Amino acid sequence: MTNDIAFVFIVLGVMIALFVSDRIRLDLVAIMGMLVLMLSGILTPAEAVAGFGDTTVLLIAALMVVGDGLFQTGVAAWIGQRLGQIAGNNERRILVTLMIPVAVLSAFISSTGTVAIMLPIAVNLARRAGLSPSRLLLPLAYAALAGGMLTLVGTPPNLIAADALVAAGRPPLGFFSFSPIGGLVVIAITLVIVLFGHWLLPARVAPVTSETRGPTLAELAAEYRLTEGLAQVRVAADSPLTGLTLAEARLHSRYGVTVVGIRRWPANRPAPGPARAVTAATRVLADDLLDVIGDEAAVAALCRAERLIPQAPRPDLPFGPDLPVMEVALTPRSRFIGQTVVASELRQLFGVTVLGARRLGQPLAGDPTHETLRFGDTLLVAGPPARLEAIVRDQRTFGDLAVVALPRDLAVSGGRLSRRALLAIAIMLAMLVVMAGGWLPTVTVALVAAVAMVITGCVPLSDIYRRLSWESLVLIAAMLPMATALTKTGGATLIANELATALGAFSPLVVLAGVFIITSFLSQFISNTATAVLMMPIALGIAQQLGLAPEPLVITAAIAASTAFATPIASPVNTLVLVPGGYRFADYARAGIPLQVVVLMICLLVAPLIFPW
């Protein structure tokens, strides 16, 4: 082993450790690794930044725009709601109705976006059938991951594999080259879940039937620890707040107290009226009762300064049906990541009040409105039904917030597809037909489709740069130089030689199994994109050392990179369902490892048949 190879291995090991620790953003880790390789002289500046002009990065960016067109025009939500209407109440029928269409949808658009669309629909299906949501949400995530295996554009590892084969001088892969294996994977995973889900899937969350109250504040108070800071105050007749709107009062920025409900209590009435939802435009009147959340010192300071009268503590939460609540989760592309609740101005944007926040199922300590938000954080928001319904209806919010739990009796009909929705469908179908026909380069077709989405208004031009998943794009572009460094220094060849020596005495199927196991293991802790970038030169090297055709190994590595089934951090879709499903870390391993074994068996049986050695 040369010094250069040892240095690249050290850099790679540090990067993987940082990926697993999740202390630094993935894209920043990749850029730091790229810079180290460039400053050390392992790569030239041109080699180090070549990934940012790679056609794979451009292709993925264009496909993000096309997929976003389906979200913003309401196509994906319309499909999801139609599925909810035909699923019925039988658990197995619901699973099949949910998993197969989700897999098909994920073959063409982002798996994370698909799960964001389908998550509240799956929760509602569970409620209607009297099932625990945890029986449906993990299968939802697995179906979305498996769906990416169906087409060339379904997931980044497929595109990276195709690019690696072309760079190695092999014939390009077709649009449906992955479909035979991916189709079998989708069918097999669905069958395993349907037949053995009773043993594999937990029931962590209690079933909620249509007769049971929905996610009200009272039911979620313990989970979000709202009772620890809940208080009631009455507005004195001479209070400076009288006549001001909540936006004008700025109680949170001035005192750290949030008004979450209001009760009108005119002096001539013996009792206050019912609790009402508040917005930034809600005006405070004399004698109003305000339901507020804040620590004891902050509430006391508010009362002294604004002449408010503290009320006797109540044993329960004084919120009624006029103040519905909803849980939302931050998606990987959310603009609110890295901001606090206050800075994100959710009340001004959506007319809702943030009551609490949780991270990985645990309430955030202290004042959650001043915590920096991360991907996967769930927020409990309250507001008028019309405001909550607007969040569900507005497809643009799916890039920022995934609806985890809908309020009770909040019915949002799918309606008819709009003209722009039909245009988005036509653009996507035309793109798929041209890609499948191979008449133009894939990246060219995707870029034309993306531009068409913008020109037709399916994706507003002002939204493109905000809604692209820059973290994913930069991660791919900055990881590609690591593959170059492994190849240039001989590191990939060294790993390939060692694996070939260790496994070469056995049949090619054993080699194939070794590649799958290593790739699948890495994908449980680092992104499937980074895993694919690292494994492709190794798979090509093993094929060269053993004199085998590289296609079976490369295709298997791409499939294995998408088997992120066994940990909640393996993929954004796994993280999205963690909290609403009430899952534990071990739940993913119990269900995911058997599914990984099933996918391994499919690859061993099918890959050499479709792509001969």
Side-chain angles (χ1 to χ4, degrees), residues 370-383:
H370 289 292
E371 286 282 342
T372 301
L373 297 174
R374 301 179 188 173
F375 158 63
D377 286 354
T378 57
L379 305 176
L380 183 65
V381 299

PDB file of all heavy atoms in Angstrom, residues 370-383:
ATOM      1  N   HIS A 370     -37.026  28.645  20.145  1.00  0.00           N
ATOM      2  CA  HIS A 370     -35.686  29.193  19.938  1.00  0.00           C
ATOM      3  C   HIS A 370     -34.666  28.107  19.589  1.00  0.00           C
ATOM      4  O   HIS A 370     -33.469  28.396  19.483  1.00  0.00           O
ATOM      5  CB  HIS A 370     -35.228  29.964  21.180  1.00  0.00           C
ATOM      6  CG  HIS A 370     -35.954  31.262  21.380  1.00  0.00           C
ATOM      7  ND1 HIS A 370     -35.804  32.345  20.545  1.00  0.00           N
ATOM      8  CD2 HIS A 370     -36.870  31.642  22.311  1.00  0.00           C
ATOM      9  CE1 HIS A 370     -36.571  33.340  20.949  1.00  0.00           C
ATOM     10  NE2 HIS A 370     -37.230  32.929  22.024  1.00  0.00           N
ATOM     11  N   GLU A 371     -35.130  26.863  19.417  1.00  0.00           N
ATOM     12  CA  GLU A 371     -34.246  25.776  19.003  1.00  0.00           C
ATOM     13  C   GLU A 371     -34.069  25.810  17.490  1.00  0.00           C
ATOM     14  O   GLU A 371     -35.010  26.079  16.742  1.00  0.00           O
ATOM     15  CB  GLU A 371     -34.834  24.422  19.407  1.00  0.00           C
ATOM     16  CG  GLU A 371     -34.733  24.125  20.891  1.00  0.00           C
ATOM     17  CD  GLU A 371     -33.339  23.688  21.296  1.00  0.00           C
ATOM     18  OE1 GLU A 371     -32.560  23.301  20.408  1.00  0.00           O
ATOM     19  OE2 GLU A 371     -33.039  23.735  22.498  1.00  0.00           O
ATOM     20  N   THR A 372     -32.870  25.537  17.031  1.00  0.00           N
ATOM     21  CA  THR A 372     -32.617  25.455  15.602  1.00  0.00           C
ATOM     22  C   THR A 372     -33.225  24.168  15.057  1.00  0.00           C
ATOM     23  O   THR A 372     -32.939  23.076  15.560  1.00  0.00           O
ATOM     24  CB  THR A 372     -31.101  25.477  15.315  1.00  0.00           C
ATOM     25  OG1 THR A 372     -30.550  26.690  15.834  1.00  0.00           O
ATOM     26  CG2 THR A 372     -30.844  25.401  13.819  1.00  0.00           C
ATOM     27  N   LEU A 373     -34.055  24.286  14.053  1.00  0.00           N
ATOM     28  CA  LEU A 373     -34.789  23.139  13.527  1.00  0.00           C
ATOM     29  C   LEU A 373     -33.899  22.289  12.639  1.00  0.00           C
ATOM     30  O   LEU A 373     -33.027  22.800  11.916  1.00  0.00           O
ATOM     31  CB  LEU A 373     -36.013  23.615  12.742  1.00  0.00           C
ATOM     32  CG  LEU A 373     -37.070  24.379  13.558  1.00  0.00           C
ATOM     33  CD1 LEU A 373     -38.156  24.923  12.644  1.00  0.00           C
ATOM     34  CD2 LEU A 373     -37.671  23.472  14.620  1.00  0.00           C
ATOM     35  N   ARG A 374     -34.152  20.976  12.663  1.00  0.00           N
ATOM     36  CA  ARG A 374     -33.424  20.021  11.833  1.00  0.00           C
ATOM     37  C   ARG A 374     -34.415  19.197  11.016  1.00  0.00           C
ATOM     38  O   ARG A 374     -35.611  19.154  11.323  1.00  0.00           O
ATOM     39  CB  ARG A 374     -32.585  19.067  12.695  1.00  0.00           C
ATOM     40  CG  ARG A 374     -31.552  19.721  13.572  1.00  0.00           C
ATOM     41  CD  ARG A 374     -30.824  18.648  14.383  1.00  0.00           C
ATOM     42  NE  ARG A 374     -29.930  19.209  15.391  1.00  0.00           N
ATOM     43  CZ  ARG A 374     -29.293  18.485  16.299  1.00  0.00           C
ATOM     44  NH1 ARG A 374     -29.469  17.162  16.306  1.00  0.00           N
ATOM     45  NH2 ARG A 374     -28.499  19.061  17.178  1.00  0.00           N
ATOM     46  N   PHE A 375     -33.880  18.531   9.995  1.00  0.00           N
ATOM     47  CA  PHE A 375     -34.713  17.626   9.211  1.00  0.00           C
ATOM     48  C   PHE A 375     -35.286  16.538  10.115  1.00  0.00           C
ATOM     49  O   PHE A 375     -34.598  15.981  10.946  1.00  0.00           O
ATOM     50  CB  PHE A 375     -33.897  16.987   8.092  1.00  0.00           C
ATOM     51  CG  PHE A 375     -34.473  15.693   7.587  1.00  0.00           C
ATOM     52  CD1 PHE A 375     -35.725  15.667   6.993  1.00  0.00           C
ATOM     53  CD2 PHE A 375     -33.781  14.508   7.718  1.00  0.00           C
ATOM     54  CE1 PHE A 375     -36.273  14.486   6.551  1.00  0.00           C
ATOM     55  CE2 PHE A 375     -34.311  13.318   7.263  1.00  0.00           C
ATOM     56  CZ  PHE A 375     -35.565  13.310   6.674  1.00  0.00           C
ATOM     57  N   GLY A 376     -36.563  16.241   9.944  1.00  0.00           N
ATOM     58  CA  GLY A 376     -37.219  15.200  10.711  1.00  0.00           C
ATOM     59  C   GLY A 376     -37.863  15.686  11.998  1.00  0.00           C
ATOM     60  O   GLY A 376     -38.632  14.944  12.606  1.00  0.00           O
ATOM     61  N   ASP A 377     -37.571  16.925  12.429  1.00  0.00           N
ATOM     62  CA  ASP A 377     -38.245  17.460  13.612  1.00  0.00           C
ATOM     63  C   ASP A 377     -39.747  17.532  13.334  1.00  0.00           C
ATOM     64  O   ASP A 377     -40.176  17.887  12.234  1.00  0.00           O
ATOM     65  CB  ASP A 377     -37.729  18.865  13.940  1.00  0.00           C
ATOM     66  CG  ASP A 377     -36.343  18.846  14.549  1.00  0.00           C
ATOM     67  OD1 ASP A 377     -35.837  17.746  14.826  1.00  0.00           O
ATOM     68  OD2 ASP A 377     -35.762  19.925  14.742  1.00  0.00           O
ATOM     69  N   THR A 378     -40.546  17.215  14.340  1.00  0.00           N
ATOM     70  CA  THR A 378     -42.000  17.332  14.197  1.00  0.00           C
ATOM     71  C   THR A 378     -42.487  18.503  15.036  1.00  0.00           C
ATOM     72  O   THR A 378     -41.996  18.733  16.143  1.00  0.00           O
ATOM     73  CB  THR A 378     -42.723  16.050  14.646  1.00  0.00           C
ATOM     74  OG1 THR A 378     -42.365  15.744  15.994  1.00  0.00           O
ATOM     75  CG2 THR A 378     -42.354  14.884  13.748  1.00  0.00           C
ATOM     76  N   LEU A 379     -43.424  19.240  14.481  1.00  0.00           N
ATOM     77  CA  LEU A 379     -43.995  20.402  15.144  1.00  0.00           C
ATOM     78  C   LEU A 379     -45.474  20.171  15.368  1.00  0.00           C
ATOM     79  O   LEU A 379     -46.172  19.672  14.468  1.00  0.00           O
ATOM     80  CB  LEU A 379     -43.797  21.667  14.294  1.00  0.00           C
ATOM     81  CG  LEU A 379     -42.372  22.009  13.856  1.00  0.00           C
ATOM     82  CD1 LEU A 379     -42.383  23.233  12.955  1.00  0.00           C
ATOM     83  CD2 LEU A 379     -41.474  22.239  15.060  1.00  0.00           C
ATOM     84  N   LEU A 380     -45.944  20.521  16.538  1.00  0.00           N
ATOM     85  CA  LEU A 380     -47.376  20.496  16.816  1.00  0.00           C
ATOM     86  C   LEU A 380     -47.887  21.911  16.609  1.00  0.00           C
ATOM     87  O   LEU A 380     -47.477  22.840  17.312  1.00  0.00           O
ATOM     88  CB  LEU A 380     -47.630  20.034  18.250  1.00  0.00           C
ATOM     89  CG  LEU A 380     -49.096  19.894  18.656  1.00  0.00           C
ATOM     90  CD1 LEU A 380     -49.777  18.801  17.854  1.00  0.00           C
ATOM     91  CD2 LEU A 380     -49.213  19.616  20.153  1.00  0.00           C
ATOM     92  N   VAL A 381     -48.755  22.085  15.621  1.00  0.00           N
ATOM     93  CA  VAL A 381     -49.260  23.414  15.293  1.00  0.00           C
ATOM     94  C   VAL A 381     -50.765  23.446  15.503  1.00  0.00           C
ATOM     95  O   VAL A 381     -51.460  22.443  15.340  1.00  0.00           O
ATOM     96  CB  VAL A 381     -48.917  23.807  13.835  1.00  0.00           C
ATOM     97  CG1 VAL A 381     -47.420  23.835  13.630  1.00  0.00           C
ATOM     98  CG2 VAL A 381     -49.564  22.853  12.835  1.00  0.00           C
ATOM     99  N   ALA A 382     -51.264  24.609  15.877  1.00  0.00           N
ATOM    100  CA  ALA A 382     -52.696  24.812  16.086  1.00  0.00           C
ATOM    101  C   ALA A 382     -53.144  26.002  15.264  1.00  0.00           C
ATOM    102  O   ALA A 382     -52.377  26.941  15.024  1.00  0.00           O
ATOM    103  CB  ALA A 382     -52.995  25.042  17.567  1.00  0.00           C
ATOM    104  N   GLY A 383     -54.385  25.952  14.833  1.00  0.00           N
ATOM    105  CA  GLY A 383     -54.915  27.050  14.058  1.00  0.00           C
ATOM    106  C   GLY A 383     -56.327  26.768  13.606  1.00  0.00           C
ATOM    107  O   GLY A 383     -56.840  25.653  13.806  1.00  0.00           O
TER     108      GLY A 383
END
